[in-house]
Structures are given as C-alpha cells and as structure tokens.
Amino acid sequence: MRVNQFVRVGLSALAGPWAAGQSWLLGYGIRVLMYHRIRSTDAWDQLSVPPELFSEHLAYLNGEGYRVITLDEVLLLLEGKRPFDATARYVAVTFDDGWRDNYQEAFPRLVRHKTPATIFLVVRELDRAEDHPGSGEFLSWTEVHEMAGQGVGFGSHTLSHALLTQVEAQTAAWELSESKRILGERLGHDIKFFCYPKGDHNRAVLGLVRQAGYQAAFTVKPGANRPACEVFALNRTEITARDRIPEFKKKLQGVYDPLHRAWQCYRNLRSR
C-alpha cells in the first residue's frame, strides 16, 4: 500500500465516527458532487473519471436510496421554500468546464440512469468549438442544446475561466454578467447558477456574483449543505478516478471532509 493510501485509510477510520455523528446531529444535508471529465486515461489525471466507474457511481446512488435532485431543487430546499427532510440523503451532480466527453460519455449514462445533472460552462470555449465543430475538447452549442432538451441543466463558469479574485473588479463583473447573458440568450431562460473557477472567491467576488443576478454559486470546498447556509458559497465534493465504490461511499458520508478542508487550507497558505 502506498503511503498516501495508508494515510487516507487511517484518517478515514478516525473520521468515520465524526461524520456519522455530524449526520446524526445535523442531518445528512445536501451533498453536491463535482466531476470534470468522464474519460479513460493511461496516466493518473485528477480531473478524469473512467466512464465505467461513472456508471457505477450513478447505479450506486440509485440503488442505495439517495435522492438525486436538480440545482433548482437544491435552492428551494436551502431557502426553505420546500420542506427539508433531515433524514433524506440528498445529492446533486455537477460538472465543471464543459468538456466534450460530458456529451460523449456522461450524457448517455445520465439519461440511462435518469439522473439529473448540471454542467458549468466556460462560454468562450463553446464559441471556439462552434467555429471548429467536432475538433475540440469542449462542448459545442449544438451539443449543449441537445443535452438541455433532455433535461441537463447549465450554469456559468465565466467567459474565460478567469480567477475572479486575481482580476480587476470591472473585469470580474464583466465575466459574470456577460457569460450569464450569452448563456441565457442561447438557452432561452435565465441562468441561475454560477461556479467559481478553481473555487476562487472572496467577499468582494461573492458580492459581484449577487449583483450579476445569479441565485446561487458553488465552490470547491468539501462538505454538505444545509438550510440557512450561504447560497453563494455552496460546498461540493470532488470525485476522482480513485473513488471506487468503497471510497465513493465514504465521500458521500463526509468521511474525508476534514482532511480535504485541511489540505485546501494548507495549499492556500502556501500560495500566499
């Protein structure tokens, strides 16, 4: 067993009772899963989950009684506009960036398992894909429209995947408002949800997201979401190729949340 695997096993054994106690006291909450790419790779890629494993994840959610819900339903529950069942195991499925394999590999599996999902799009990548159809790594508008017709939701991930705390406020506001406008015009409805590229945000950026007219926004901070939480800084749990069903189950239970939060804090301190 590799050292990092040994550490994960040890920490999960310690954190398991903590996760169970938290769920007992506070309820399971809503766990939003974060995927990027659904594809097979020869080498380890943190952003990629093999298609067969993704199918196993969806089958597990459906078979074990999880309530897989849309982001619209997430918002209604968190804002108290729909009764929140503290004993229910709510899950939502999201994808970042708008990779083309979301259409090729994830989409047919989502349809097969009748699982709702939302994809956060980098708008300029869709424009490039439209100029060179079938040749790029990102979704085209045609593919987006086909998926939308089958119930897949879409949100904004900015125009250019800009890290919003590292650009001028005027630029950040443009990235937020213009991506929202273009997506809304293309899809024919208001765009309610935003996802921070790499989870990068602060109080000022959070305020800009509100001003742009979004109704909720998602980070990369792990953990469940519960009523009365900040809907412009919602937690998500990253899923990777390492998450075979035993590990996937632990992530759904929140076993790794303390470890992942500590690791994120460490990385943030190192980057200063």
Side-chain angles (χ1 to χ4, degrees):
M1 182 180 291
R2 297 178 181 176
V3 173
N4 62 344
Q5 291 176 314
F6 179 80
V7 171
R8 281 167 65 91
V9 170
L11 288 174
S12 69
L14 293 173
W18 172 87
Q22 185 181 53
S23 295
W24 182 78
L25 288 171
L26 303 176
Y28 182 83
I30 304 172
R31 190 160 294 271
V32 181
L33 306 183
M34 174 179 64
Y35 293 90
H36 285 80
R37 309 199 64 173
I38 305 300
R39 62 168 185 165
S40 298
T41 57
D42 293 330
W44 160 251
D45 175 14
Q46 185 172 346
L47 300 184
S48 297
V49 171
E52 297 77 14
L53 181 56
F54 182 62
S55 292
E56 291 178 24
H57 290 166
L58 298 181
Y60 181 82
L61 292 172
N62 290 332
E64 294 297 319
Y66 286 87
R67 292 193 198 175
V68 187
I69 60 177
T70 66
L71 295 192
D72 283 320
E73 292 173 299
V74 168
L75 191 58
L76 289 171
L77 288 165
L78 293 178
E79 292 185 334
K81 297 176 181 177
R82 179 174 293 182
F84 189 95
D85 182 354
T87 65
R89 296 179 296 172
Y90 297 109
V91 169
V93 177
T94 66
F95 297 83
D96 285 9
D97 303 330
W99 297 96
R100 193 156 185 252
D101 50 62
N102 293 176
Y103 172 78
Q104 297 167 319
E105 301 290 354
F107 177 46
R109 289 169 170 82
L110 291 167
V111 171
R112 188 179 310 134
H113 289 276
K114 299 179 181 179
T115 302
T118 296
I119 302 174
F120 293 105
L121 300 169
V122 179
V123 173
R124 285 181 181 164
E125 296 296 348
L126 275 79
D127 291 336
R128 292 190 186 100
E130 188 170 45
D131 293 337
H132 305 281
S135 62
E137 286 194 292
F138 290 91
L139 292 169
S140 68
W141 286 109
T142 299
E143 291 161 342
V144 166
H145 278 110
E146 182 181 341
M147 287 191 284
Q150 292 289 324
V152 176
F154 292 94
S156 170
H157 205 32
T158 73
L159 285 171
S160 65
H161 206 268
L163 300 183
L164 298 181
T165 69
Q166 299 180 29
V167 298
E168 296 292 332
Q170 184 176 1
T171 300
W174 174 256
E175 290 270 350
L176 291 162
S177 62
E178 189 66 1
S179 61
K180 186 177 189 297
R181 181 190 68 79
I182 292 171
L183 286 170
E185 288 181 357
R186 287 280 195 159
L187 294 172
H189 61 77
D190 184 42
I191 302 302
K192 300 178 183 179
F193 304 107
F194 178 76
C195 172
Y196 302 99
K198 296 187 177 181
D200 181 59
H201 71 287
N202 55 24
R203 287 179 181 269
V205 168
L206 191 147
L208 291 174
V209 175
R210 277 200 180 97
Q211 291 172 24
Y214 295 97
Q215 295 184 27
F218 294 81
T219 71
V220 299
K221 182 180 178 181
N225 301 285
R226 296 179 174 87
C229 68
E230 173 55 76
V231 297
F232 287 92
L234 293 172
N235 299 328
R236 289 191 300 165
T237 299
E238 183 179 28
I239 305 300
T240 74
R242 289 197 177 110
D243 295 320
R244 301 291 170 182
I245 293 303
E247 296 297 296
F248 185 63
K249 180 179 178 181
K250 290 175 184 177
K251 283 194 172 180
L252 289 169
Q253 294 170 338
V255 170
Y256 291 126
D257 289 351
L259 172 62
H260 292 159
R261 287 177 191 151
W263 175 245
Q264 286 182 359
C265 289
Y266 171 72
R267 285 193 303 183
N268 291 339
L269 288 172
R270 287 196 64 184
S271 64
R272 291 180 181 176

